[in-house]
Amino acid sequence: MKALFIGGTGKISTAITELAAKRGFELYLLNRGNRPSFVPEGVHVIQADIYNETDVCEKLKGMYFDVVADFIVFDVESLKRDIRLFSGKTSQYIFISSASAYQKPLSSPFITESTPLFNPFWEYSRNKIACEEYLMSEYRNHNFPITIVRPSHTYDNTEIPLAIHGKNGSYSVINRIKNGKKVIVHGDGNTLWTLTHNTDFAKAFVGLMGNSHAIGETVQITSDESLTWNQIYEIIGNALGVKPNIVHIPSDALAKASKDFLGGLLGDKAHSVIFDNTKIKRLVPEFTATTRFDQGVRIALDFIEKHPEYQREDKEFDIWTDKMIEVYEAMEQNIPQLS
């Protein structure tokens, strides 16, 4: 199978690249070449910026791919560019959407591919919805061979999935837990969430590649493990050998602090979700997510410990966290009692 990945070295796509290479695919990555250490032996790299359409068109001249997957499309204009580049040049185009596109607030926590798409809280999600609608129109009207994939919270070895963190990722929160400092969890911490290791996601994704039954279909890919956010932080603490010192703060209050929390919490993590993976298991019968979070988090913590480049401190986030907790706990102390 001859495949082209646009990107191919990111949080989700690195594991897919590794698995596709291991299975002997003739694989090409089109990217800017910023992460050469993430490219397996035998994978071809076409160094280019996908936003330079003229250059990409020239570098792909005369090439046909069984599968094209673009991991860095976030708006309809980028999709239009891809359709110009790959119409008649691929048998399958895979678009990576997002489970955050599902209805918020949810009418039911049980999520299938037919759950409505609607997210007034997060522009990122609304853009993904618009992309899906445009692609479906291209499939119906012009037979452009699409497959839409919806991941939920997928993580790799370079970061720990968290409820609240700063711009530098998870390391600052890992340090806070390790050193007994207070950490923030939104709401009461009892909403259910699903975490998927990127190696599990890769198994399902690669199974969709070249799969004729996946053309024109939308498929969600997650693990079957549901955890509360309190459990997630307890599992991280267990892996670090400490009990996390959790402070619960309402999602609405946190959303006032940052537009990132507005989308990421009110538009996603604040809602209980339980994913029905029947469809992906029908399309890829061998798919089973096998990495429990308590296993995946230990692998990731070990990796981060051995790679200083992922130990990025975040003083701004630490200062904000301490201040937010101080303000919220002071407010709690002044709550009037009802006699």
Side-chain angles (χ1 to χ4, degrees):
M1 183 184 299
K2 186 175 181 179
L4 173 70
F5 291 169
I6 301 167
T9 57
K11 184 175 295 186
I12 288 179
S13 58
T14 294
I16 301 169
T17 296
E18 291 175 354
L19 183 57
K22 189 181 296 184
R23 293 193 179 178
F25 291 10
E26 183 183 352
L27 182 59
Y28 294 79
L29 305 185
L30 191 151
N31 58 42
R32 289 175 293 182
N34 293 336
R35 305 182 84 189
S37 62
F38 286 76
V39 180
E41 186 177 350
V43 173
H44 310 281
V45 176
I46 301 170
Q47 193 162 334
D49 185 342
I50 188 61
Y51 293 97
N52 187 340
E53 186 176 342
T54 302
D55 181 53
V56 171
C57 187
E58 183 62 30
K59 288 179 176 176
L60 297 179
K61 192 173 182 178
M63 300 181 77
Y64 184 93
F65 300 96
D66 299 301
V67 180
V68 172
D70 193 336
F71 292 93
I72 51 174
V73 171
F74 304 103
D75 56 63
V76 171
E77 288 306 310
S78 297
L79 272 183
K80 291 179 179 179
R81 174 207 62 217
D82 280 7
I83 290 170
R84 289 192 298 268
L85 284 168
F86 300 113
S87 286
K89 296 181 180 180
T90 185
S91 299
Q92 183 185 31
Y93 176 90
I94 303 179
F95 170 68
I96 293 79
S97 185
S98 170
S100 69
Y102 287 124
Q103 179 187 59
K104 304 295 184 307
L106 286 160
S107 57
S108 169
F110 299 99
I111 309 295
T112 71
E113 286 81 359
S114 62
T115 297
L117 305 183
F118 174 69
N119 194 325
F121 302 102
W122 205 357
E123 184 180 9
Y124 166 82
S125 306
R126 293 193 296 274
N127 286 338
K128 290 290 189 180
I129 294 169
C131 287
E132 288 199 28
E133 291 173 346
Y134 184 80
L135 278 177
M136 276 299 179
S137 174
E138 286 296 306
Y139 170 66
R140 292 177 183 133
N141 297 322
H142 304 292
N143 200 28
F144 187 64
I146 65 158
T147 299
I148 296 171
V149 172
R150 294 181 188 143
S152 185
H153 199 155
T154 306
Y155 67 101
D156 66 357
N157 292 340
T158 66
E159 274 195 313
I160 302 298
L162 297 165
I164 302 293
H165 61 79
K167 294 178 181 178
N168 285 350
S170 64
Y171 187 69
S172 178
V173 180
I174 293 170
N175 263 344
R176 293 183 72 91
I177 294 174
K178 190 187 298 184
N179 295 318
K181 297 188 74 174
K182 294 176 180 178
V183 293
I184 298 171
V185 171
H186 60 282
D188 62 3
N190 287 320
T191 51
L192 289 171
W193 196 241
T194 299
L195 299 166
T196 309
H197 197 270
N198 68 343
T199 55
D200 283 329
F201 185 89
K203 290 184 286 187
F205 190 96
V206 171
L208 291 173
M209 293 175 62
N211 187 331
S212 61
H213 301 292
I215 302 300
E217 295 287 350
T218 300
V219 190
Q220 61 192 24
I221 302 174
T222 77
S223 77
D224 293 317
E225 182 180 30
S226 295
L227 298 164
T228 68
W229 279 103
N230 287 335
Q231 288 175 313
I232 290 168
Y233 276 66
E234 290 289 343
I235 288 169
I236 295 170
N238 286 341
L240 292 169
V242 296
K243 184 174 179 58
N245 193 349
I246 294 173
V247 176
H248 294 111
I249 298 179
S251 299
D252 286 344
L254 292 166
K256 292 177 181 177
S258 169
K259 64 179 182 180
D260 292 333
F261 298 154
L262 173 64
L265 288 181
L266 300 187
D268 204 17
K269 296 175 184 174
H271 303 268
S272 283
V273 288
I274 302 170
F275 292 95
D276 181 343
N277 287 303
T278 300
K279 189 171 184 178
I280 184 61
K281 291 176 181 178
R282 184 175 69 249
L283 290 168
V284 186
E286 69 273 20
F287 169 64
T288 303
T290 56
T291 304
R292 294 194 318 266
F293 181 59
D294 63 303
Q295 299 167 329
V297 74
R298 290 179 183 274
I299 295 169
L301 287 170
D302 182 63
F303 181 90
I304 293 168
E305 183 67 28
K306 293 175 180 177
H307 293 80
E309 63 269 30
Y310 295 107
Q311 300 171 18
R312 297 180 296 166
E313 296 183 359
D314 195 333
K315 291 183 180 179
E316 180 183 358
F317 174 75
D318 276 329
I319 291 169
W320 173 83
T321 300
D322 290 334
K323 184 64 177 177
M324 189 71 186
I325 291 172
E326 178 187 345
V327 168
Y328 187 74
E329 289 184 334
M331 183 275 294
E332 281 188 316
Q333 291 175 4
N334 291 311
I335 292 176
Q337 298 299 302
L338 181 64
S339 57

